[in-house]
Amino acid sequence: MSGYPEASESGSEYDEEMDLASRGGGMQGIARKRGRIQKPVQSSKRPRHQAHLGPAEEDATLFDVVRQGKMAMSGIVDNWIDSYQKDRSSALLDLIQFFVNSSGCKGTVTAEMLEEATDGFQDIIKRMTEEFDEDSGDYPLIAPGIIFKRFKSSFCEFVQALVRQCQYQYIYDQYMMENILTLLTELSNSQVRAFRHTSTLAAMKLMTGLVNVALQISVSLDNTQRQYDTERSKDSSKRAPQKLDVLLEKRKELEEQQNEIESMLNGIFKGIYVHRYRDYIADIRALCMEEIGCWMRMFPKVFLTDSYLKYVGWTLHDKQKEVRMKCLQSLIGLYGNNELMNDLKLFTSRFKDRIVSMILDKEYDVAVHAIKLLVLINNNCNYETKVLTDQDCDSIFQLVYSCHRPVAVAAAEFLNIQLFQNKRYDVTYTKSGTPRGANAPHLANLVLFYIESELHEHATYLVDSLWEVASRILKDFECMSDILLEDPAYDNDKMDEKQETALVDIMVCAVKQAAEGVPPSGRQGYHKKAGTREKRQALEDKVKLTEHFITHIPKLLMKFQMDKDKVAGLLQIPRYFDLEYYSTGRYEKYLVDLLDQITIIIEKHIDGDVLEQASRTLKYLCDDEYTFYASKVQPKRRTLIDNWTEKFNLYFDIYQEAGDDADEEEIYNAVQALKRLTSLYVFNDLTSCKLHNSVNKILMMYNEKTDSFPEPLLREAIKFIFYDLEYGLAIAKKHTDAGIDITQPDAIINISDLRQRVTKFLRDCQYLLTYSPHKSVQEECYMSICDILVTFSSQLAHTNPTLTKLVQKASDQLQHAILEFVRTFVFIAVDEDDDEDDTAKIDALHKRRSLLAAVCKLFVFNMIDLKLASSIFQQYIRFYSDYGDIIKETISRSRHHNKLKCAQTLALSLMALFRTTVNEQGGVLDHSSQQYAHMKELARRFALTFGLDQIKTRDAVAELHKEGILFALKLEGDASMDDDSVVPPNLSFLGILVEFSAKLMKQDKKTVVQYLDKHIKSSMLSNQDQDWIPLVTYRNSLLQGADDDSIKVPAPPKGRRGRKKKIGAADPEETGPQTPQRPMTPQQQQPQQQQPQQHRPMTPQHVAPLPQQQQQQPMQMQQPMTPQQQQQQSMTPQSMTSQQIQQPMTPQPMTPQQIQQPMTSQQIQQPMTPQPPAPHHGRMTPQQTHHAMAPQQQQQQQHSVLTPQQHHIQMNPQEAIGQPQLTSTVMQATREIRQIHEDHSINSIQYHDSTQSLLNAQLVAAQQQTLAMAATHYSPADYQQQQQHQVPMGYNITSPQAASPMPTNAQYMHATMPNPIVQYDHTNPFQNVTASIQQTPQPSPYYGN
């Protein structure tokens, strides 16, 4: 099989590829033999295409039939074969037309075109390029719609059927395949994406079919050779000479066919694949990776070698998701076959590190496939040395905690193999002699992994990841309970407390996962809505866990009742019970045991989390739908509440009697009793206890002795009263809906009494929020105030008018107290060098985020004045990483409710920050300071929050500009705007307001300009003082994109500053409309004698200074010049502006005849635009591609840059300025001359004379320059250096088209077709041939022979 395409057998593979490409894909000049045995063609049995078509469809083209997909592809190919037998030229023409139409081209290939074609299909492709539809960039392979979505599969099926049904005869006739491959090779070299994509797909599918044919031939050849050897090994008496001759002839025929197929495969691979797998169109690269994987799986004997595998390895570094995905999918298909592992050994050692790194790919789908591939590598690659190191495995293990569920599940599969599969353990026993469950060792390993991962708060993620692959272990609740309750026979097998706590966490998470059947919140990448199957499975699991834990949970709580960590978890399990089993299964005894354990836990524990879980579980058990509620649960709960109410009254009375002499025990007893009542109040209604007045005495006592009052007692009292008011409101709503009158004094909840309680509570909380020295008390008051304002907001009046009296509104003092708390305790700088634990820092950050979200909720629903949010909005950039999402969402929601008020608040935020910054800098703003840059960035971020829909935000943006203008132009004291010497102190604020100019609509810009002009004088625009630059800059930003017809500079003031019109000045009414001029800047003075003229936006930096020679030489009278002479002028590179120098320019060599030849009128009238870049394989319209190519350049791979050999005129790179650059410099010269007129206010006659003088000087300079260009020579090396420093304008280095730097083991380049200009380095197969990217050459990634 040595004749098959060898990929990079040596460093000079590109010599062969270039030579092959120049010979039309290597298909010409290859000798083929015609003589061969042909199978009879039974054309009479083939289904006729015409038999399935109606009369109107008989003339349908091959493309139409394939696109419709109404007929089997085998039948379509049979019909084409029939036509090929009758007239192969006509049938080939139909096939060529099929490929052309499949590319989206509407052109028609005629027989005359084929006859006239002399150099392959280049002329035909050139003519077909003109037939594309310019209006759309879509073509059938990527076009939307149901028909075209099926077309790709039909197209591929047709190409493969063509090879399959022609494999015995027509692919060897030296006509069909040779022409098809030549056509596809030349189409794949086209600069038109549609041609390149379609032909590459056809060629890859064609090669897949040929690989299948080659495989069949190889099998037949092996069988024939074996038969021949068997027959020949027989004795001469038993040997059949005739049979040997037949076998010898058959072997010879198969070898000839094999050589033919090898030649075709070589042509496709070297002529198309080695170029297109680097194409910068991701779809083309992806299909190349997909097909090479098919070839390796189909014919591993030939293609599964290092010389082919390296293409897949290099492309693992591709920057497009779909290409990396196809590479991994191809490798997954290879590593899934154990028989191929030996051939993949070298590839695995070279590219294993890259595959491991891809598990952290930014695209989650790629990461999932990378993990799946590593699972196969770990399972099937049984080499002498272990492929994956411990560090590699640990990096995969940690992904079970990933927020993306598919990634976590894939990593869990890898973890499952390492922990649970292929593990054999001996049976262990308890002390009582009972054997442990089979999953006990696996659970022990899982607990150890969970502890070693040091992510103890994310057991729910670990369980969810393993749920699909190890549910058998995670659902073994009986084994878990046995491990926790029964001691092992040997002390070495006993778990310590840390391990038992970890097992309880895993067990609780498994119970929750089994009962709910959905992944935890925070996981992404899955369908959140559970299906019917998941719901049914969840119900079954819930029944099983209920049956088990009904009897075991009381025992577990009894054993660990003093361990707060375990108890907090175990108390969650009863909330996932099916409570009906307590009645139907006669398990009420266990219910009583559970209630007793909850009572004991509430009595013995003081931890807030434990008390909260106990209160919540007690509430879940109090379900009045079941019979055991009235007989078992309710009496127990009533007894528990009464008991602690009595204790609180007793302990609080003792505390009151002790007064200032109360000791710590008395305070502790009162605090703990109130704490338990508060915890019960969170989920259970305690209003019947009527403890409000008793608890309210605590707040009254605080006012008497603020210094010595215990902080915990005050904090618990605030929480208790808050829940008491909330439950009171809930009962009031319930009674109102039921028709109970709550205005009566004897009502359970009296509305007047409730209103007084709420008002007093808000007043007390405001006082504590302002004056309390304890931060925890202030935080509790702050959260209570925010929640009370929400629940007792004006919505009560809309839902039920009876509750209107309960509506509470925050007073001004309360609003400012809330904002002061936020500024003090939320927006604080955290010391990063602090030794505090990271977990504590995260908890503190979450707490601060909750505090900020509470007040932002009030702003969003307009419960407090939105303008107060300015102090929060101005922190958007400073605390972006901590609160950026909250502030951004607040701005968005506030704008949704009130656009104008939100805009005013944003403006107020910037104004307040501006004032603060100016004061900090001593009253003078430093524009180069970091604080000013911070304000500019904040304004830019605020502008981004307005979105792209300018119509919706139109009024809001205009209002913001209005507020900003008024603030910036506001004067201090008795100063007046009539005095030009007085600069408004806030004028620099306009430089910040510039960031919002782009958000104004076109017509609104004119309105804002007019509003600005009403508040300023025209002389301010021409003031050369540095302080007035922000005004000019802001006004110019408004002029950009606005209609110039209705925007004029304010009329100059009348009086002593006015000047009479000079003699000789043109009258606007006589000369017609004036040419729009640039807006005035502080560096230029306005011609006072002229009428107001229309202006174009211009910044102060746009004023180009005069060249030194022009400033020193006096103006002289010259002859007037024609417009044609003026347009032929140029200027030196030194006089060009920075913007022109930065524009990419393509030098265009000129012959001496072109230099001396005068310009025609058509050339003079051409637009002065830069030379278009060299055509590249981008998504450009075919017409543009065709017009960008000269006829002489078609043989040079259609590149527009000419070689030095084609033009003997040489240029110095520093002087290489083409005609488009000469014309563009003429425009700059004209602008400068007009600027001279504006700066120096010369009259019209002097301006005309000076213009002629400068233009004549420019003409002389241009002529001298062109002569120097024609006389300068330089070497080809200099020419190539010049080409390396040119960047085509159509190629963006930041776009996906540009190649990214690659690791040292593989430098992958998305290159275009080889450029004959570039001198290739044959030792570096990945030399970049695109002039737009320069990278440091790296060693070839070739790694094997």
Side-chain angles (χ1 to χ4, degrees):
M1 304 299 290
S2 60
Y4 280 98
E6 291 297 334
S8 181
E9 288 293 338
S10 65
S12 61
E13 65 169 349
Y14 275 75
D15 290 335
E16 301 177 5
E17 295 174 7
M18 291 295 297
D19 184 44
L20 185 64
S22 64
R23 291 186 284 112
M27 298 308 302
Q28 300 178 3
I30 299 177
R32 295 183 176 88
K33 295 185 179 181
R34 297 179 180 272
R36 55 178 49 84
I37 300 175
Q38 300 180 356
K39 292 188 177 182
V41 180
Q42 300 177 358
S43 59
S44 59
K45 293 184 179 181
R46 290 195 181 101
R48 296 292 178 181
H49 174 209
Q50 290 80 2
H52 297 277
L53 299 176
E57 298 178 344
E58 292 183 357
D59 297 332
T61 63
L62 187 60
F63 169 73
D64 296 331
V65 177
V66 174
R67 182 185 61 179
Q68 293 173 1
K70 298 180 180 179
M71 186 177 179
M73 292 301 148
S74 59
I76 298 175
V77 173
D78 286 341
N79 292 333
W80 183 86
I81 292 176
D82 290 344
S83 63
Y84 186 82
Q85 290 176 339
K86 297 177 183 178
D87 186 356
R88 67 179 188 176
S89 298
S90 177
L92 180 64
L93 184 63
D94 292 340
L95 196 58
I96 294 174
Q97 186 67 53
F98 167 73
F99 289 120
V100 171
N101 293 146
S102 298
S103 301
C105 179
K106 299 180 180 179
T108 302
V109 182
T110 61
E112 291 77 10
M113 294 183 185
L114 289 179
E115 294 176 358
E116 295 174 358
T118 58
D119 185 16
F121 294 91
Q122 288 290 339
D123 296 335
I124 296 177
I125 295 174
K126 175 184 175 182
R127 296 184 62 178
M128 292 299 103
T129 302
E130 303 175 0
E131 302 296 333
F132 270 91
D133 183 10
E134 266 191 42
D135 298 334
S136 175
D138 292 336
Y139 49 94
L141 289 183
I142 64 173
I146 299 177
I147 297 178
F148 290 109
K149 287 182 179 179
R150 295 197 302 259
F151 173 75
K152 183 176 181 180
S153 59
S154 300
F155 178 83
C156 299
E157 186 180 354
F158 172 80
V159 174
Q160 291 179 324
L162 180 66
V163 177
R164 184 173 60 253
Q165 295 177 229
C166 297
Q167 62 177 318
Y168 299 111
Q169 180 178 1
Y170 299 110
I171 62 175
Y172 307 109
D173 64 356
Q174 293 187 351
Y175 182 77
M176 183 190 79
M177 291 301 296
E178 182 173 350
N179 284 280
I180 291 177
L181 296 183
T182 303
L183 172 67
L184 295 179
T185 302
E186 294 179 357
L187 283 175
S188 67
N189 295 342
S190 173
Q191 296 177 353
V192 181
R193 171 179 174 173
F195 276 153
R196 206 166 67 255
H197 188 182
T198 307
S199 61
T200 304
L201 177 61
M204 296 300 101
K205 293 300 180 181
L206 197 68
M207 186 166 178
T208 302
L210 291 175
V211 169
N212 191 23
V213 174
L215 177 61
Q216 297 179 12
I217 293 176
S218 178
V219 173
S220 300
L221 187 59
D222 292 341
N223 294 336
T224 302
Q225 183 65 37
R226 185 170 57 256
Q227 293 176 5
Y228 178 80
D229 295 339
T230 303
E231 188 66 26
R232 190 172 181 179
S233 62
K234 295 180 180 179
D235 296 338
S236 57
S237 59
K238 298 181 180 179
R239 186 185 306 166
Q242 186 177 4
K243 184 176 181 180
L244 288 175
D245 295 340
V246 172
L247 291 175
L248 191 62
E249 181 66 22
K250 183 177 180 181
R251 186 183 67 179
K252 183 179 180 181
E253 177 190 356
L254 291 174
E255 289 176 347
E256 291 176 355
Q257 292 180 357
Q258 187 182 59
N259 293 333
E260 292 280 347
I261 298 299
E262 290 174 0
S263 178
M264 297 177 193
L265 294 178
N266 271 299
I268 297 176
F269 190 84
K270 293 186 177 181
I272 298 178
Y273 183 88
V274 295
H275 302 304
R276 297 282 66 80
Y277 94 97
R278 299 175 298 171
D279 195 292
Y280 65 72
I281 300 300
D283 293 339
I284 298 178
R285 301 198 304 272
L287 70 91
C288 289
M289 292 301 107
E290 181 180 9
E291 293 305 316
I292 197 174
C294 294
W295 306 337
M296 293 175 182
R297 292 194 300 272
M298 292 170 58
F299 205 170
K301 181 180 179 181
V302 175
F303 291 98
L304 192 60
T305 60
D306 298 331
S307 56
Y308 289 99
L309 283 167
K310 65 180 181 182
Y311 293 106
V312 182
W314 294 340
T315 317
L316 287 172
H317 299 274
D318 196 281
K319 63 187 300 183
Q320 294 297 326
K321 163 189 172 182
E322 54 269 23
V323 183
R324 300 195 302 275
M325 182 82 73
K326 292 298 182 181
C327 292
L328 293 173
Q329 290 175 349
S330 298
L331 292 176
I332 288 174
L334 296 175
Y335 280 96
N337 190 348
N338 291 326
E339 298 177 356
L340 306 179
M341 291 302 104
N342 291 331
D343 297 328
L344 292 168
K345 184 175 182 179
L346 183 56
F347 175 86
T348 305
S349 63
R350 289 300 178 92
F351 291 98
K352 184 262 297 183
D353 293 338
R354 171 56 185 162
I355 298 173
V356 172
S357 68
M358 293 178 74
I359 65 176
L360 300 177
D361 197 286
K362 66 176 183 179
E363 301 292 343
Y364 290 121
D365 295 340
V366 176
V368 170
H369 282 77
I371 297 173
K372 292 181 179 179
L373 177 58
L374 291 173
V375 170
L376 294 175
I377 292 176
N378 182 71
N379 293 343
N380 299 336
C381 294
N382 299 320
Y383 302 141
E384 295 82 3
T385 59
K386 189 177 180 181
V387 177
L388 297 179
T389 63
D390 294 339
Q391 184 178 1
D392 296 336
C393 295
D394 291 339
S395 61
I396 302 174
F397 292 159
Q398 295 302 317
L399 292 179
V400 296
Y401 298 101
S402 172
C403 63
H404 193 75
R405 192 169 190 268
V407 174
V409 172
E413 183 179 356
F414 187 87
L415 177 63
N416 177 51
I417 296 173
Q418 298 293 324
L419 290 183
F420 307 137
Q421 292 186 3
N422 302 323
K423 305 287 186 180
R424 293 184 179 181
Y425 301 96
D426 297 332
V427 179
T428 58
Y429 297 88
T430 64
K431 283 188 176 181
S432 60
T434 306
R436 283 274 176 89
N439 291 322
H442 300 315
L443 288 172
N445 292 335
L446 181 60
V447 167
L448 291 177
F449 169 78
Y450 176 58
I451 294 175
E452 292 175 358
S453 63
E454 297 182 354
L455 294 172
H456 303 157
E457 296 182 359
H458 298 85
T460 179
Y461 280 3
L462 175 62
V463 171
D464 177 59
S465 302
L466 291 168
W467 194 253
E468 296 181 2
V469 295
S471 59
R472 173 182 57 85
I473 300 173
L474 294 174
K475 291 181 181 180
D476 194 351
F477 301 121
E478 184 176 355
C479 183
M480 296 180 187
S481 301
D482 181 69
I483 294 175
L484 293 172
L485 293 174
E486 299 290 339
D487 294 332
Y490 302 98
D491 294 338
N492 294 335
D493 298 334
K494 185 177 181 180
M495 288 185 174
D496 56 20
E497 285 195 16
K498 190 175 182 180
Q499 293 173 344
E500 289 179 342
T501 303
L503 180 58
V504 169
D505 291 343
I506 294 174
M507 182 175 67
V508 172
C509 294
V511 168
K512 181 179 179 181
Q513 185 86 5
E516 295 180 349
V518 295
S521 59
R523 274 275 162 91
Q524 305 171 0
Y526 69 97
H527 301 288
K528 295 186 178 181
K529 187 177 181 180
T532 305
R533 179 181 177 184
E534 289 79 7
K535 291 180 180 179
R536 183 172 61 252
Q537 183 65 38
L539 290 176
E540 295 177 358
D541 293 339
K542 190 173 184 178
V543 169
K544 293 180 180 179
L545 70 89
T546 302
E547 292 178 347
H548 171 74
F549 280 108
I550 274 183
T551 59
H552 285 75
I553 196 65
K555 299 177 183 178
L556 291 170
L557 290 174
M558 181 181 296
K559 181 177 180 179
F560 301 106
Q561 63 182 357
M562 298 308 298
D563 191 328
K564 64 177 183 179
D565 294 330
K566 298 183 182 65
V567 168
L570 293 172
L571 283 173
Q572 301 178 37
I573 295 178
R575 298 205 294 270
Y576 301 101
F577 286 177
D578 185 358
L579 297 181
E580 188 177 358
Y581 268 78
Y582 277 117
S583 300
T584 58
R586 302 193 179 190
Y587 292 126
E588 294 184 0
K589 173 181 177 299
Y590 299 102
L591 176 60
V592 174
D593 295 340
L594 176 60
L595 293 173
D596 292 339
Q597 291 300 322
I598 292 176
T599 303
I600 295 173
I601 289 172
I602 292 176
E603 182 177 357
K604 291 185 177 182
H605 283 272
I606 61 174
D607 184 73
D609 188 21
V610 175
L611 295 176
E612 178 184 352
Q613 297 297 337
S615 176
R616 180 176 294 184
T617 301
L618 185 61
K619 172 62 178 177
Y620 179 78
L621 296 175
C622 294
D623 193 340
D624 55 4
E625 294 183 1
Y626 303 101
T627 57
F628 57 79
Y629 168 74
S631 60
K632 304 293 183 182
V633 181
Q634 178 61 14
K636 281 284 186 180
R637 184 174 67 168
R638 185 73 263 173
T639 302
L640 176 65
I641 294 174
D642 292 343
N643 182 26
W644 283 107
T645 301
E646 182 180 353
K647 287 183 179 181
F648 169 72
N649 291 328
L650 176 61
Y651 294 147
F652 185 65
D653 290 340
I654 296 174
Y655 171 75
Q656 283 182 300
E657 292 177 359
D660 295 338
D661 299 331
D663 56 13
E664 294 182 0
E665 183 179 358
E666 294 172 345
I667 297 174
Y668 176 83
N669 292 334
V671 170
Q672 295 305 322
L674 183 58
K675 185 176 183 178
R676 286 167 172 80
L677 289 174
T678 303
S679 300
L680 290 171
Y681 217 162
V682 176
F683 301 99
N684 302 270
D685 185 10
L686 272 65
T687 53
S688 61
C689 298
K690 299 186 181 299
L691 291 173
H692 182 273
N693 294 332
S694 300
V695 178
N696 193 50
K697 291 180 181 179
I698 298 176
L699 301 182
M700 298 172 61
M701 293 174 62
Y702 173 78
N703 296 330
E704 299 175 359
K705 48 178 183 178
T706 57
D707 298 334
S708 60
F709 200 83
E711 173 194 356
L713 186 60
L714 182 61
R715 185 176 63 250
E716 296 299 331
I718 296 171
K719 294 170 62 176
F720 185 92
I721 296 177
F722 168 76
Y723 290 119
D724 184 73
L725 296 177
E726 292 293 331
Y727 271 102
L729 177 61
I731 295 174
K733 290 181 179 179
K734 183 178 180 181
H735 288 183
T736 304
D737 295 338
I740 301 176
D741 187 7
I742 60 175
T743 61
Q744 298 297 327
D746 56 347
I748 300 177
I749 295 295
N750 183 270
I751 189 170
S752 299
D753 183 48
L754 182 60
R755 182 171 181 269
Q756 293 177 2
R757 291 180 181 181
V758 175
T759 305
K760 185 178 183 304
F761 180 70
L762 287 177
R763 186 165 57 250
D764 293 337
C765 286
Q766 178 183 346
Y767 178 80
L768 292 172
L769 183 64
T770 307
Y771 300 106
S772 177
H774 307 294
K775 180 182 176 181
S776 60
V777 174
Q778 289 180 308
E779 290 179 354
E780 197 62 45
C781 291
Y782 170 83
M783 294 300 297
S784 300
I785 291 172
C786 293
D787 292 339
I788 287 292
L789 291 177
V790 171
T791 54
F792 289 86
S793 62
S794 57
Q795 64 178 350
L796 290 176
H798 297 291
T799 57
N800 194 333
T802 308
L803 303 177
T804 305
K805 294 182 180 181
L806 296 178
V807 174
Q808 298 291 326
K809 293 183 179 180
S811 62
D812 294 340
Q813 295 82 0
L814 181 59
Q815 295 180 23
H816 287 88
I818 293 174
L819 267 295
E820 182 62 29
F821 174 84
V822 173
R823 284 191 292 265
T824 305
F825 295 104
V826 175
F827 296 108
I828 56 176
V830 179
D831 188 7
E832 297 296 338
D833 298 333
D834 191 5
D835 297 334
E836 187 179 3
D837 186 22
D838 292 339
T839 304
K841 290 182 179 179
I842 294 174
D843 293 340
L845 176 60
H846 287 174
K847 189 173 185 179
R848 294 196 301 271
R849 286 174 58 87
S850 301
L851 296 175
L852 179 61
V855 70
C856 288
K857 182 168 52 178
L858 301 180
F859 288 128
V860 168
F861 296 106
N862 200 26
M863 295 174 183
I864 60 177
D865 191 3
L866 182 61
K867 291 185 177 180
L868 295 176
S870 60
S871 60
I872 294 178
F873 292 169
Q874 64 183 256
Q875 307 291 342
Y876 183 44
I877 299 297
R878 184 184 175 192
F879 294 92
Y880 183 80
S881 60
D882 295 339
Y883 318 120
D885 55 338
I886 299 176
I887 298 177
K888 182 178 180 180
E889 185 67 17
T890 304
I891 295 174
S892 177
R893 296 289 186 91
S894 301
R895 183 179 295 115
H896 178 73
H897 290 285
N898 194 328
K899 297 182 178 63
L900 295 181
K901 206 164 186 178
C902 181
Q904 293 173 355
T905 305
L906 294 179
L908 187 61
S909 302
L910 293 172
M911 295 173 192
L913 186 60
F914 180 85
R915 290 195 194 96
T916 304
T917 304
V918 171
N919 294 333
E920 291 176 353
Q921 295 182 358
V924 179
L925 182 64
D926 183 8
H927 291 265
S928 62
S929 63
Q930 185 178 0
Q931 291 82 355
Y932 182 77
H934 170 76
M935 289 188 290
K936 292 277 288 184
E937 177 64 16
L938 179 61
R940 188 186 70 84
R941 295 287 185 93
F942 282 168
L944 292 177
T945 61
F946 284 96
L948 301 177
D949 193 345
Q950 293 182 332
I951 297 178
K952 290 183 178 179
T953 61
R954 178 179 183 180
D955 296 337
V957 177
E959 180 67 19
L960 190 146
H961 279 272
K962 175 185 174 183
E963 295 290 336
I965 291 172
L966 294 176
F967 173 75
L969 300 179
K970 184 179 180 181
L971 296 174
E972 294 180 350
D974 299 334
S976 175
M977 291 298 294
D978 296 335
D979 189 358
D980 297 347
S981 62
V982 179
V983 180
N986 301 327
L987 188 63
S988 298
F989 185 76
L990 294 177
I992 300 173
L993 202 59
V994 168
E995 301 294 335
F996 297 93
S997 298
K999 294 299 180 180
L1000 284 169
M1001 296 184 66
K1002 192 174 183 180
Q1003 52 270 37
D1004 291 340
K1005 288 185 177 182
K1006 298 185 295 183
T1007 305
V1008 175
V1009 170
Q1010 294 173 359
Y1011 182 82
L1012 176 66
D1013 292 342
K1014 290 179 182 179
H1015 292 77
I1016 63 174
K1017 298 175 64 178
S1018 60
S1019 58
M1020 296 178 181
L1021 297 175
S1022 59
N1023 196 319
Q1024 298 188 14
D1025 193 351
Q1026 190 76 11
D1027 295 335
W1028 294 96
I1029 289 181
L1031 175 61
V1032 179
T1033 305
Y1034 174 63
R1035 191 174 188 276
N1036 289 341
S1037 69
L1038 296 175
L1039 294 175
Q1040 292 178 359
D1043 288 334
D1044 293 336
D1045 298 339
S1046 59
I1047 301 178
K1048 299 182 180 180
V1049 176
K1054 297 180 181 180
R1056 61 182 179 87
R1057 294 182 181 271
R1059 294 184 182 179
K1060 296 181 181 180
K1061 184 169 61 175
K1062 290 188 177 182
I1063 300 175
D1067 188 355
E1069 296 181 0
E1070 297 178 1
T1071 59
Q1074 299 291 325
T1075 303
Q1077 303 295 328
R1078 304 183 181 190
M1080 307 308 298
T1081 63
Q1083 286 75 12
Q1084 61 185 96
Q1085 297 181 359
Q1086 180 186 8
Q1088 300 291 342
Q1089 75 280 5
Q1090 296 183 0
Q1091 296 293 330
Q1093 296 182 357
Q1094 301 169 8
H1095 286 67
R1096 293 181 297 180
M1098 172 179 171
T1099 59
Q1101 289 75 8
H1102 287 175
V1103 182
L1106 285 173
Q1108 185 177 2
Q1109 298 179 357
Q1110 296 181 13
Q1111 293 178 0
Q1112 296 176 356
Q1113 296 179 357
M1115 298 294 180
Q1116 297 181 1
M1117 299 292 292
Q1118 299 292 341
Q1119 296 295 329
M1121 300 179 64
T1122 63
Q1124 290 79 1
Q1125 291 174 333
Q1126 295 180 9
Q1127 292 189 10
Q1128 294 179 7
Q1129 305 310 311
S1130 180
M1131 38 190 319
T1132 61
Q1134 289 77 7
S1135 61
M1136 297 176 64
T1137 63
S1138 60
Q1139 292 182 355
Q1140 290 174 323
I1141 293 175
Q1142 292 175 0
Q1143 291 179 355
M1145 299 184 294
T1146 304
Q1148 183 66 29
M1150 300 174 62
T1151 63
Q1153 293 78 6
Q1154 292 174 336
I1155 295 174
Q1156 301 296 333
Q1157 182 179 1
M1159 297 177 64
T1160 63
S1161 59
Q1162 291 81 359
Q1163 293 172 336
I1164 295 175
Q1165 296 175 1
Q1166 289 179 354
M1168 302 178 185
T1169 58
Q1171 182 73 12
H1176 60 283
H1177 294 177
R1179 192 168 181 176
M1180 54 190 298
T1181 58
Q1183 285 76 2
Q1184 294 173 345
T1185 303
H1186 172 66
H1187 293 303
M1189 299 182 293
Q1192 296 84 353
Q1193 298 168 337
Q1194 295 297 325
Q1195 298 179 0
Q1196 300 291 340
Q1197 297 294 338
Q1198 302 181 356
H1199 285 268
S1200 63
V1201 182
L1202 303 179
T1203 62
Q1205 292 75 9
Q1206 290 174 318
H1207 287 279
H1208 64 279
I1209 303 300
Q1210 307 295 332
M1211 298 183 299
N1212 191 321
Q1214 287 76 12
E1215 299 178 356
I1217 301 179
Q1219 184 63 29
Q1221 285 70 44
L1222 295 176
T1223 56
S1224 63
T1225 54
V1226 172
M1227 298 176 62
Q1228 179 66 16
T1230 306
R1231 294 193 189 104
E1232 290 188 359
I1233 294 169
R1234 185 181 297 115
Q1235 191 65 39
I1236 294 172
H1237 166 62
E1238 295 175 357
D1239 290 343
H1240 299 279
S1241 303
I1242 60 176
N1243 58 38
S1244 59
I1245 298 177
Q1246 292 174 340
Y1247 172 70
H1248 176 73
D1249 294 340
S1250 62
T1251 301
Q1252 308 310 320
S1253 176
L1254 289 178
L1255 290 178
N1256 286 335
Q1258 296 296 337
L1259 177 60
V1260 174
Q1263 293 176 353
Q1264 293 177 354
Q1265 184 179 13
T1266 52
L1267 292 176
M1269 290 161 54
T1272 305
H1273 295 271
Y1274 65 103
S1275 64
D1278 295 335
Y1279 183 88
Q1280 185 164 352
Q1281 182 181 5
Q1282 172 191 357
Q1283 299 295 328
Q1284 292 177 353
H1285 292 282
Q1286 296 173 5
V1287 180
M1289 293 191 302
Y1291 201 95
N1292 184 6
I1293 196 170
T1294 62
S1295 67
Q1297 301 169 359
S1300 60
M1302 296 302 169
T1304 55
N1305 67 332
Q1307 182 188 3
Y1308 174 72
M1309 196 64 59
H1310 306 164
T1312 58
M1313 284 300 297
N1315 188 343
I1317 299 175
V1318 180
Q1319 300 297 327
Y1320 277 87
D1321 180 10
H1322 302 297
T1323 62
N1324 184 6
F1326 280 87
Q1327 180 183 9
N1328 187 7
V1329 299
T1330 306
S1332 62
I1333 303 175
Q1334 301 297 328
Q1335 294 189 356
T1336 303
Q1338 298 184 6
S1340 171
Y1342 168 73
Y1343 63 87
N1345 294 325

